[in-house]
Amino acid sequence: QICLSLVKLLFYLAHSPLGSIVLLDFQPRQFVMVDGNLKVTDMDDASTEELSCKEDNDCTLDFPTKSFPLRCSVVGKCEGINEKKNLFNAYRYFFTYLLPHSAPPALRPLLSDILNATGNLRYGINETLRAFEKVLHLYKSGLYLQKRPLLLKDYISLKGFRTVEGEDYKCWPSYSHLGCLLSIHSAEEAAAICNSQSQCQSFIVTQQRTWTGRPLASFQSSWTDLIPDTNAVVYIKRSASSGERL
């Protein structure tokens, strides 16, 4: 969410009515999240000036660990230097820390490609935004899910119930530090996640939604303390419920 919002912001800066705007003091502390959108808190160091040049050799974009040769345009400006400077700063301050860690396994290669393409400035801001929107579409639609055996049949579902809240086993990347709370596309995906975790005996699908509209599911190591909740459905492994009275 943070990276996509940043890319949309940089897309606007690259195509603003004032021309391509560069953020000269590009640091994470210069941004804040407001209602799920990343915003710049200080525009004092923004500029529409692009580096003047006479030849391509005048257009080297230097960073502490990398340098990029750019072209000198016919009007004597280094082509796309503001856009590329913003994009590489987004890569080194945001993408490298946020993109590799919390995506479903099937989407990680696409995010790695975005990471590599922006790190080498192979993508401009237009291509980067398209790549992010593709990943978002796959994530929201569930098209990233690979064909696999149907596992939900191995669970008993109880509508209108949930387990008592409390600390349980933890997983990554959980929305709660008290247990294992993950976003899912469907109960079928939740069943696959539960099967992959040795501690998991049950999961609850709630009405809570993430910013992408995906429901949240709580994965738990027990299921015995059930309480009524009209907005929840609890799924219990048949193997865990065998010998127990529901």
Side-chain angles (χ1 to χ4, degrees):
Q1 181 181 14
I2 293 171
C3 291
L4 174 62
S5 188
L6 177 58
V7 169
K8 289 180 177 180
L9 173 62
L10 298 187
F11 179 85
Y12 173 79
L13 294 179
H15 301 285
S16 84
L18 299 176
S20 182
I21 298 174
V22 64
L23 301 176
L24 299 174
D25 186 18
F26 197 116
Q27 299 283 340
R29 64 174 179 266
Q30 300 283 24
F31 299 89
V32 65
M33 291 292 286
V34 179
D35 296 329
N37 295 306
L38 205 68
K39 296 184 181 292
V40 184
T41 61
D42 185 2
M43 292 292 289
D44 289 346
D45 293 309
S47 174
T48 58
E49 291 296 319
E50 293 195 306
L51 187 63
S52 298
C53 57
K54 293 183 179 179
E55 55 184 27
D56 290 349
N57 288 338
D58 298 329
C59 292
T60 301
L61 183 56
D62 289 315
F63 293 95
T65 58
K66 279 190 176 183
S67 295
F68 300 96
L70 304 180
R71 296 177 61 87
C72 183
S73 71
V74 293
V75 295
K77 298 289 183 181
C78 296
E79 287 185 357
I81 192 168
N82 288 351
E83 172 187 327
K84 293 178 185 298
K85 189 171 185 178
N86 284 340
L87 190 54
F88 189 79
N89 278 328
Y91 158 80
R92 65 179 180 143
Y93 287 121
F94 287 88
F95 298 171
T96 54
Y97 297 104
L98 301 177
L99 284 186
H101 303 297
S102 58
L107 292 178
R108 288 174 193 167
L110 297 177
L111 294 177
S112 293
D113 185 57
I114 293 174
L115 199 62
N116 293 331
T118 53
N120 295 319
L121 289 184
R122 179 163 49 90
Y123 281 180
I125 192 62
N126 294 356
E127 295 87 353
T128 303
L129 180 58
R130 283 198 295 269
F132 267 102
E133 289 178 336
K134 176 183 178 181
V135 173
L136 179 63
H137 171 67
L138 294 173
Y139 185 61
K140 292 174 68 173
S141 65
L143 292 173
Y144 69 91
L145 293 169
Q146 300 170 345
K147 289 185 178 180
R148 62 181 71 179
L150 298 179
L151 302 173
L152 199 59
K153 66 181 185 306
D154 298 327
Y155 289 78
I156 297 170
S157 66
L158 295 174
K159 295 182 180 179
F161 289 93
R162 63 175 173 82
T163 57
V164 177
E165 292 183 8
E167 287 200 36
D168 208 316
Y169 76 91
K170 298 173 176 60
C171 66
W172 175 261
S174 177
Y175 283 80
S176 169
H177 67 281
L178 297 177
C180 186
L181 184 66
L182 302 174
S183 76
I184 57 168
H185 176 259
S186 63
E188 187 64 55
E189 183 183 15
I193 293 172
C194 189
N195 276 25
S196 70
Q197 299 173 345
S198 59
Q199 308 99 312
C200 186
Q201 296 298 315
S202 66
F203 62 89
I204 302 111
V205 179
T206 71
Q207 295 297 312
Q208 290 178 276
R209 302 274 169 169
T210 69
W211 67 280
T212 60
R214 288 162 57 97
L216 289 175
S218 176
F219 299 85
Q220 301 186 343
S221 59
S222 65
W223 58 270
T224 52
D225 297 323
L226 296 179
I227 58 174
D229 185 340
T230 57
N231 295 318
V233 182
V234 61
Y235 294 83
I236 304 164
K237 281 185 178 179
R238 292 183 184 275
S239 58
S241 64
S242 60
E244 301 283 350
R245 296 182 63 187
L246 291 179

